[in-house]
Amino acid sequence: MARPPFAPSSSTVPTMPPAPGAMRPGMPPQTRTPGLPESSERRTLVVGRGISVQGTINDAERLVVEGKVEATLIHAAELSVIDGGIFKGEIEVEEAEIAGIIDGVVTARTSLIVRATGRVLGKARCRRLQVEDGGQITGQIEMLNDAPPAASPAPSPVVTTGLQTPGEIGRPDVPASEV
């Protein structure tokens, strides 16, 4: 008599899902940013080791790259590129933690952390930057700031020719040649 497929064996031990905020082996510790949902509450896409994804990723609030991702533009709250993971393309996130490789443009509106094994090749834009000893950034770094855009320049002062007094300038009833 044949054994049914996927029959539970007596040697398997039931496992509990990891607690919110618990670390997975090889995953960086999770941080909490005020105003953003807990990491466990976010829509998360994990691209595992040995998996390659190409194209555009929409609606993922948290992206964890353990394999390889080639994308044109991603808007997300959090990006984690694990040691051995590769992200190629352009991405805009609130927070980014890089232990693998980013090749392209990364914009981190809040913070960018480059771990000791991390490499950023291309352009990095961020408000706060932390690079561990051994981490590498090759390319351009642009620091974002909270300052409002510069106001338009003040109007230039009126230049008089000496023919009119300041009180007469602009008076249509007094021609400049008669003063």
Side-chain angles (χ1 to χ4, degrees):
M1 173 164 208
R3 198 170 95 187
F6 308 114
S9 70
S10 59
S11 64
T12 59
V13 178
T15 59
M16 296 290 290
M23 289 184 52
R24 286 177 51 192
M27 301 260 314
Q30 298 175 358
T31 58
R32 171 83 166 99
T33 300
L36 294 176
E38 297 266 347
S39 290
S40 61
E41 297 171 359
R42 295 186 185 152
R43 292 184 310 262
T44 302
L45 172 62
V46 178
V47 178
R49 293 193 188 279
I51 296 176
S52 181
V53 174
Q54 195 172 30
T56 302
I57 300 171
N58 295 317
D59 301 328
E61 293 175 336
R62 183 169 182 257
L63 175 62
V64 179
V65 180
E66 297 173 355
K68 184 176 181 181
V69 174
E70 291 186 45
T72 54
L73 180 64
I74 297 175
H75 294 280
E78 185 179 342
L79 168 69
S80 294
V81 180
I82 307 304
D83 187 11
I86 300 171
F87 180 91
K88 289 187 176 189
E90 185 173 342
I91 186 164
E92 184 175 337
V93 293
E94 289 296 321
E95 299 175 339
E97 187 168 347
I98 312 304
I101 298 172
I102 284 202
D103 185 358
V105 179
V106 58
T107 301
R109 292 181 295 272
T110 304
S111 66
L112 172 62
I113 300 171
V114 181
R115 298 290 179 199
T117 58
R119 291 183 15 200
V120 177
L121 311 169
K123 184 175 184 178
R125 301 175 70 226
C126 60
R127 192 166 319 286
R128 287 191 323 257
L129 175 64
Q130 177 184 345
V131 182
E132 290 182 350
D133 188 25
Q136 299 175 12
I137 299 178
T138 303
Q140 182 180 1
I141 300 173
E142 180 181 335
M143 299 304 291
L144 304 174
N145 59 26
D146 292 326
S152 59
S156 58
V158 176
V159 178
T160 60
T161 61
L163 299 175
Q164 293 177 317
T165 63
E168 296 172 333
I169 295 175
R171 285 184 51 197
D173 59 328
V174 180
S177 60
E178 291 182 12
V179 176

